[in-house]
Amino acid sequence: MSVGLARVTAVRGPVVELVSDTGLPEINDAVIVDPEGAAIACEVQSHVDAHRFRAIALQPTQGLSRLMTAQMTGAPLSVPVGPAVLGRLIDVAGRVGDGGPALPADTPRRAIHQQPPPLAGRRAGVKLFSTGIKVLDLLAPLALGGKAAMFGGAGVGKTVLVTELIHATVVDYDGVSVFAGVGERSREGHEMLHDMQNYGVLDRTVLVFGQMNEPPGARWRVPMTALTLAEHLRDVQGQNVLLLMDNAFRFCQAGAEVSGLLGRMPSRAGYQPTLATEVAALQERITSSDTASVTAIEAVYVPADDFTDPAVAALSAHMDCNVVLSRDLAAEGIYPAVDPLRTTSVLLDPAIVGEDHARTAAAVRELIQHYSEMRDVIALLGVEELSRDEQRLVARARRLQRFLTQPFFVAAAFTGMAGRSVPIEATIEGCRAILSGECDSWDESAFYMIGTLEEARARVEAARKVPA
């Protein structure tokens, strides 16, 4: 640890080179350069020789020049944590960005670089995280303290799904949510802030943003800041935390930019040689303690739909479940547009979820897979050309697809339908009824945008009472 002063010798974009006569700071230590009160935070990333070192600026470097004095803090960057930050929007350094009052002076602070909890201090066993969203609870169960990746492009309902998960955490688990906007547009940040206010969940949510126009260092460290807030809420406040990250791919992308700026040799596909280490350092901190948990839902952009991309592969290796959002389903009005065939979870095991749940999920996936294979035939020849048994199976698959839709609480103002939260037992019971043929005589429209099967039954009965 080295505390003292250093001098700026060069500024190359977001890379600041400094020299110190009192010893070199540790890697990841914070260095503060303060031109005219701007207090630009930098993070040490490499040692050039016995006196010179390079740091990455976490804020724009306008105003920096050679021979400026910098303060070596002797510790990693620290950010404000605790109840005071709930309901606020902050940046990578913990500065308030929502136009509200400053945080209290006595707000505790915590370094953004922390060691993951030791294995002995983690919760033993698996406790499922119930979202109340039928398709997720059935086909992609998530554990408290687990990690899920959500693959999807623009316009497929990703933000609405993320916001609904925040609502589920606040209402069903008496927990809090931390949203990390990595490389978000300014418009998206403001929309998220206003949406949280309108949905009534802002007071149990922290928004941490590193916007698209900020230096790569800011986008690179925003997930660390958000995770630090979540860890404090878990370890000190004893609260269950839902950590949402949009977009985890941009975290890898920012790391590649930083690596290139520091002159490191690029690795496969141009990514940084330390990609796997950086991803692991972040993901291994997401876990449960003896008292509470941090559960992560991470949106991941897939470049050119290439799931073998090194960044996507590095992130996927740490996930308990992968949720794939389909543009084709969204175009058909199937919301949430979760692709049941490409969505997977390691927790969908009879030893974890139970024999009944695992068997029902497998039967649902098998029937929808069969329907998917028949769609080309139906498009060419028409459903009437199928055998009676095939027609019956296709009709059941379509009913299942519609049954797995549901109205969201956070979208009620747009859809005009009250949100539904469905227990997993009711979801399994409804799927079993459709699979067994109990609902073959019901119109498939009765299953669209409902909660439990009882709502479909009520719709069918109401339709039968209407005179022709």
Side-chain angles (χ1 to χ4, degrees):
M1 181 180 74
S2 181
V3 180
L5 298 178
R7 295 188 313 280
V8 176
T9 59
V11 180
R12 302 183 186 92
V15 178
V16 181
E17 191 166 305
L18 304 101
V19 63
S20 168
D21 298 326
T22 59
L24 292 174
E26 299 287 337
I27 298 295
N28 291 332
D29 275 5
V31 176
I32 308 298
V33 189
D34 197 7
E36 301 178 358
I40 296 172
C42 305
E43 188 175 274
V44 178
Q45 284 302 312
S46 68
H47 296 154
V48 179
D49 56 31
H51 298 285
R52 291 187 302 149
F53 60 95
R54 291 191 182 120
I56 289 290
L58 304 184
Q59 288 143 351
T61 55
Q62 283 87 349
L64 260 63
S65 63
R66 296 178 65 223
L67 304 182
M68 278 186 172
T69 301
Q71 177 66 47
M72 297 187 294
T73 63
L77 180 71
S78 62
V79 294
V81 295
V85 298
L86 291 175
R88 306 304 300 271
L89 185 151
I90 62 174
D91 68 3
V92 65
R95 299 183 302 184
V96 174
D98 54 13
L103 296 173
D106 59 350
T107 303
R109 301 182 74 87
R110 183 177 176 130
I112 66 170
H113 293 283
Q114 300 284 341
Q115 289 297 317
L119 192 61
R122 303 190 186 193
R123 178 185 295 161
V126 177
K127 185 177 180 182
L128 292 179
F129 174 71
S130 178
T131 65
I133 300 172
K134 290 180 287 190
V135 66
L136 293 187
D137 288 343
L138 178 69
L139 300 176
L142 181 64
L144 283 171
K147 297 178 278 288
M150 196 163 58
F151 301 95
V156 296
K158 182 173 56 182
T159 300
V160 176
L161 186 55
V162 164
T163 315
E164 183 74 6
L165 288 166
I166 292 176
H167 182 274
T169 301
V170 171
V171 173
D172 298 335
Y173 283 90
D174 191 30
V176 292
S177 300
V178 179
F179 180 87
V182 186
E184 293 285 276
R185 302 169 184 85
S186 300
R187 170 186 58 78
E188 292 171 328
H190 285 294
E191 286 179 358
M192 179 65 75
L193 182 64
H194 291 307
D195 286 346
M196 294 298 169
Q197 288 175 327
N198 295 336
Y199 302 147
V201 298
L202 183 61
D203 60 336
R204 306 296 298 277
T205 306
V206 188
L207 304 177
V208 187
F209 275 86
Q211 293 175 184
M212 193 174 283
N213 63 327
E214 293 191 62
R219 290 179 269 123
W220 191 38
R221 288 311 186 207
V222 156
M224 297 293 187
T225 298
L227 187 50
T228 300
L229 301 176
E231 287 172 330
H232 180 86
L233 292 165
R234 177 194 66 195
D235 299 336
V236 179
Q237 307 294 127
Q239 293 177 296
N240 290 320
V241 184
L242 180 65
L243 173 67
L244 298 126
M245 196 183 304
D246 188 5
N247 187 299
F249 174 80
R250 295 196 191 112
F251 161 71
C252 300
Q253 201 172 39
E257 291 180 49
V258 168
S259 181
L261 289 165
L262 292 171
R264 294 175 184 153
M265 185 72 72
S267 182
R268 189 160 63 99
Y271 285 102
Q272 63 271 41
T274 53
L275 173 64
T277 304
E278 292 170 10
V279 170
L282 176 69
Q283 301 295 340
E284 286 303 301
R285 290 169 61 182
I286 302 171
T287 186
S288 296
S289 67
D290 289 334
T291 56
S293 62
V294 175
T295 306
I297 309 284
E298 303 174 24
V300 180
Y301 167 70
V302 183
D305 291 331
D306 179 14
F307 281 81
T308 64
D309 183 87
V312 175
L315 289 164
S316 298
H318 293 270
M319 299 298 157
D320 299 318
C321 66
N322 294 320
V323 179
V324 179
L325 298 178
S326 165
R327 191 172 302 280
D328 291 339
L329 289 176
E332 293 179 26
I334 304 295
Y335 285 105
V338 175
D339 188 336
L341 303 180
R342 301 170 68 193
T343 295
T344 60
S345 172
V346 298
L347 301 176
L348 196 57
D349 185 292
I352 297 173
V353 299
E355 189 70 41
D356 193 27
H357 183 163
R359 191 188 306 113
T360 304
V364 166
R365 189 172 277 136
E366 183 180 354
L367 184 56
I368 293 177
Q369 172 69 37
H370 182 70
Y371 170 52
S372 178
E373 293 169 353
M374 297 299 297
R375 294 188 71 165
D376 288 343
V377 176
I378 294 170
L380 287 171
L381 304 176
V383 71
E384 298 81 8
E385 296 300 317
L386 300 178
S387 68
R388 185 164 298 179
D389 287 343
E390 290 286 359
Q391 289 183 32
R392 187 161 49 243
L393 291 176
V394 165
R396 288 177 187 173
R398 290 177 59 86
R399 289 182 176 89
L400 274 174
Q401 271 191 336
R402 280 145 186 78
F403 177 65
L404 292 177
T405 65
Q406 71 189 82
F408 283 170
F409 291 96
V410 298
F414 306 104
T415 63
M417 295 181 283
R420 309 284 198 280
S421 179
V422 184
I424 183 58
E425 295 81 9
T427 301
I428 294 171
E429 183 182 344
C431 290
R432 275 208 316 262
I434 296 171
L435 289 165
S436 67
E438 182 182 325
C439 311
D440 282 357
S441 62
W442 300 4
D443 191 276
E444 67 180 37
S445 63
F447 298 89
Y448 184 66
M449 285 294 172
I450 60 170
T452 65
L453 193 67
E454 293 305 313
E455 291 186 48
R457 182 176 281 111
R459 286 185 180 180
V460 171
E461 292 176 355
R464 286 172 179 169
K465 292 177 182 177
V466 175

